[in-house]
C-alpha cells in the first residue's frame, strides 16, 4: 500500500483493505516523511516494502493513492528490471494543478510521465479536486494504463465515504487476479 500525504487513516479504503488481507500479504510503506513528503524517502520506502513482500509472496501488486501514485511511478522508473505484477493507481493528483501541495511536497513535481514497465490501471473520479478527469486520463494514456472513471466521488479517499470501496476491489481483481 502506497498512501498519499500523512498515510491513510482508519476510514480510508486502503487501510480497510490492508486490515482485511493481513500483514503477511499487505504491507504499507513507512517513509519518515509522511507530512513533509520527500520523494526519494518514499521511493526507498517502496523498495523496502517490495523487498519484504517478495520474500513472502510470488507476485507483488502496488496499490497507490494520491501522492503515492507519483512515488510508485518514480520507483518503477528506477526499479532496474524488477517489475511487479501490476499497479493500481488511484486518484493521481495533478502536479501542475492549483490544489497540488507544492509547498509540502516540492520533490514530487516534475516527475516524467512515461510508460510503466508493468500492467497498470488508473482509477479517477470525475470531480477530484486535485486532478481534472481529462488530466488523469492523459496520465493513464502516457503511463500505458487502463483507465476507469469511478463517478463523482471526490478524491477517492476517506472523505468520499467509500468504506471498503467494492468498486476498487472489483477493478483490482479484474486487472490482477490469478488466472
Amino acid at each position: 500500500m502506497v498512501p498519499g500525504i500523512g498515510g491513510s487513516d482508519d476510514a480510508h479504503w486502503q487501510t480497510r483493505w490492508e486490515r482485511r488481507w493481513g500483514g503477511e500479504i499487505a504491507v504499507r510503506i513507512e517513509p519518515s516523511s509522511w507530512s513533509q513528503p520527500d520523494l526519494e524517502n518514499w521511493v526507498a520506502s517502496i523498495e523496502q516494502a517490495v523487498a519484504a513482500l517478495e520474500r513472502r509472496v510470488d507476485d507483488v501488486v502496488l496499490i497507490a493513492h494520491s501522492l503515492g501514485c507519483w512515488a510508485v511511478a518514480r520507483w518503477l522508473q528506477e526499479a532496474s528490471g524488477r517489475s511487479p505484477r501490476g499497479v493500481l493507481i488511484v486518484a493521481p493528483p495533478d502536479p501542475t494543478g492549483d490544489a497540488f501541495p507544492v509547498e509540502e511536497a516540492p520533490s514530487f513535481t516534475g516527475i516524467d510521465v512515461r510508460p510503466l514497465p508493468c500492467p497498470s490501471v488508473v482509477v479517477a473520479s470525475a470531480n477530484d479536486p486535485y486532478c481534472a478527469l481529462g488530466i488523469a486520463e492523459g496520465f493513464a494514456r502516457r503511463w500505458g494504463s487502463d483507465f476507469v472513471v469511478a463517478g463523482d466521488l471526490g478524491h477517492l479517499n476517506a472523505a468520499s465515504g467509500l468504506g471498503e470501496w467494492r468498486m476498487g476491489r472489483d477493478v483490482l481483481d479484474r486487472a490482477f487476479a490469478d488466472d
Side-chain angles (χ1 to χ4, degrees), residues 31-88:
S32 60
S33 61
W34 274 127
S35 60
Q36 293 288 315
D38 174 73
L39 180 59
E40 295 313 315
N41 177 242
W42 284 39
V43 169
S45 186
I46 293 169
E47 178 61 31
Q48 291 169 350
V50 169
L53 266 179
E54 285 177 332
R55 291 190 289 271
R56 299 192 299 254
V57 300
D58 293 331
D59 291 313
V60 173
V61 175
L62 299 172
I63 301 172
H65 178 259
S66 194
L67 202 61
C69 301
W70 293 107
V72 165
R74 173 58 67 83
W75 179 80
L76 286 167
Q77 291 172 0
E78 297 177 359
S80 62
R82 289 176 54 217
S83 184
R85 178 181 182 118
V87 181
L88 181 65

Side-chain angles (χ1 to χ4, degrees), residues 9 11-13 65 129-130 153-163:
D9 64 20
H12 197 287
W13 57 267
H65 178 259
Y130 295 98
L153 296 172
H155 192 49
L156 299 170
N157 56 8
S160 299
L162 301 173

Side-chain angles (χ1 to χ4, degrees), residues 122-128 130-140 147-152:
V122 172
V123 180
S125 169
N127 64 344
D128 188 335
Y130 295 98
C131 189
L133 190 61
I135 300 288
E137 187 173 17
F139 293 153
F147 184 66
V148 176
V149 179
D152 293 333

Side-chain angles (χ1 to χ4, degrees), residues 77-140:
Q77 291 172 0
E78 297 177 359
S80 62
R82 289 176 54 217
S83 184
R85 178 181 182 118
V87 181
L88 181 65
I89 300 169
V90 179
D94 177 2
T96 65
D98 293 340
F100 192 83
V102 174
E103 289 186 23
E104 292 87 2
S107 62
F108 281 76
T109 61
I111 300 172
D112 290 334
V113 184
R114 58 183 186 220
L116 301 177
C118 63
S120 57
V121 178
V122 172
V123 180
S125 169
N127 64 344
D128 188 335
Y130 295 98
C131 189
L133 190 61
I135 300 288
E137 187 173 17
F139 293 153

